[in-house]
Amino acid sequence: MFQFKQTHINFMSKRHLWMAMSVILVILSIVALATRGLNFGIDFTGGTVVEVHYDKVVPLSKVRESLHAHGFKDAQATNIGTAQDVMIRVAPKLHEDRSKIGDQVLSVLQASAGGQVVLRKVEFVGPVVGKELRQDGSLALLYTMIAILVYVAFRFEYRLAIGAVIASMHDIIVTLGVFAITQYEFNLTVLAALLALLGYSLNDTIVVYDRIRENFRRMRKGSPVEVVNTAVNQTLSRTVMTSLTVVLVLLSLFFLGGSVIHNFSVALLVGVVFGTYSSVYIASSLALLLGISKADLMPVKKGEVDDRP
């Protein structure tokens, strides 16, 4: 339905400027993470989970307002199963008897509901569990990075693998930096978004890398910069259309999906923007910086010895 004409934009002429800007963004993100830190949610810090049942449907916004007005500032409310069943997560407080939190939450809800509210279950998630989730989440990101490095090195060439991993790390660090600066809550849904972002960023990079490899074999007289520029221009329409459709979906989730997936959509929105940018100006530029050439991507003929580094 939509067809873009072949562009001839010299993306690589500004690669040093954009790489310098990326370095600044990464440094700012690391400083923000070191000084402000992430605002970890109950999934990682521990807390109390209270499940209640209403005799009629009550808007979650009203439940949250009631809890926030009575001192439960970080309380989260979500429906479970039906619109009458609500799960409430309350962050831990120092010197507070956690055994009384369930009764306190129930009394607040009963006073504001105008109907019957039944307490179904009260559970406490300790800080040890939250610490294990943080560790497991960090390991999941690390193992994904290693898998990306091995996959791209096996499929293409080690210089391209290094570029892909650094570009993915760039996207993750900048996204974490945004969460550190804004102090949006970092919970399990955001962690899931980061893992999804790694896959999206890698896919975008692989498309460009695949075209770079093809062009190195087809463009006999082109310099590495010309080959990379041509590859980026050839994949530009696909990149724009893919990113645009993903962003439209994420904007729908952001505005219409509710508070439960609000931070999830924020993480992916930031990540998709920087992931699209990094596939051009980080992954491709690093391949040139590391000295990728036609000889590195040409297949080794049968009987020849592969003496490439």
Side-chain angles (χ1 to χ4, degrees):
M1 182 175 180
F2 298 100
Q3 187 172 2
F4 290 82
K5 293 182 179 180
Q6 177 66 48
T7 57
H8 301 281
I9 304 172
N10 190 0
F11 288 100
M12 294 298 105
S13 64
K14 304 294 184 182
R15 66 184 184 277
H16 296 105
L17 173 63
W18 288 107
M19 287 183 70
M21 290 183 64
S22 290
V23 170
I24 294 172
L25 281 174
V26 169
I27 292 174
L28 289 175
S29 298
I30 292 174
V31 170
L33 287 168
T35 55
R36 294 174 62 86
L38 293 171
N39 179 23
F40 287 108
I42 296 173
D43 297 324
F44 297 108
T45 62
T48 304
V49 178
V50 181
E51 292 184 13
V52 297
H53 176 78
Y54 286 85
D55 62 349
K56 61 181 180 180
V57 176
V58 177
L60 290 178
S61 58
K62 184 178 179 181
V63 175
R64 297 189 191 100
E65 289 172 3
S66 301
L67 292 169
H68 295 171
H70 288 80
F72 298 101
K73 300 295 184 182
D74 298 321
Q76 304 171 6
T78 56
N79 288 120
I80 50 171
T82 69
Q84 294 173 257
D85 295 309
V86 179
M87 180 176 66
I88 298 160
R89 298 187 179 193
V90 182
K93 295 181 180 179
L94 292 175
H95 312 299
E96 185 176 52
D97 187 358
R98 66 192 187 208
S99 63
K100 298 180 180 179
I101 292 178
D103 294 332
Q104 292 172 357
V105 169
L106 181 63
S107 62
V108 169
L109 298 179
Q110 287 176 336
S112 62
Q116 186 178 6
V117 184
V118 179
L119 181 65
R120 288 284 180 84
K121 184 170 62 174
V122 178
E123 291 182 347
F124 177 74
V125 180
V128 175
V129 177
K131 184 178 180 180
E132 289 179 355
L133 285 173
R134 288 199 300 271
Q135 292 175 346
D136 292 344
S138 300
L139 288 174
L141 290 174
L142 176 62
Y143 294 154
T144 304
M145 290 289 187
I146 295 173
I148 290 173
L149 182 66
V150 173
Y151 168 72
V152 181
F154 177 78
R155 179 173 174 180
F156 294 98
E157 208 262 349
Y158 81 92
R159 293 177 182 87
L160 297 182
I162 294 173
V165 169
I166 293 179
S168 299
M169 290 177 62
H170 164 273
D171 303 339
I172 295 298
I173 292 172
V174 172
T175 304
L176 288 174
V178 170
F179 272 78
I181 293 170
T182 60
Q183 286 296 289
Y184 281 143
E185 183 180 290
F186 188 92
N187 50 35
L188 283 178
T189 63
V190 178
L191 177 60
L194 293 181
L195 292 171
L197 174 60
L198 283 175
Y200 178 89
S201 179
L202 176 63
N203 180 66
D204 226 21
T205 301
I206 290 298
V207 170
V208 177
Y209 277 178
D210 205 39
R211 192 55 62 91
I212 288 175
R213 180 173 60 181
E214 289 180 11
N215 287 347
F216 264 122
R217 296 173 180 178
R218 294 169 56 187
M219 298 172 61
R220 303 187 176 215
K221 297 182 180 180
S223 66
V225 173
E226 292 173 338
V227 169
V228 172
N229 258 327
T230 302
V232 173
N233 279 280
Q234 288 172 338
T235 57
L236 184 61
S237 61
R238 177 262 173 204
T239 300
V240 170
M241 290 303 297
T242 302
S243 300
L244 182 60
T245 52
V246 172
V247 166
L248 289 175
V249 172
L250 292 174
L251 287 174
S252 299
L253 292 176
F254 180 83
F255 289 109
L256 305 174
S259 61
V260 177
I261 56 174
H262 180 270
N263 291 355
F264 172 85
S265 56
V266 169
L268 279 179
L269 274 171
V270 174
V272 165
V273 171
F274 282 100
T276 303
Y277 148 81
S278 68
S279 65
V280 175
Y281 283 112
I282 304 298
S284 302
S285 299
L286 281 173
L288 290 173
L289 188 64
L290 294 171
I292 194 72
S293 65
K294 181 177 181 179
D296 299 318
L297 296 174
M298 291 299 291
V300 179
K301 294 181 180 180
K302 190 174 182 180
E304 291 183 354
V305 179
D306 187 2
D307 57 353
R308 292 175 293 187

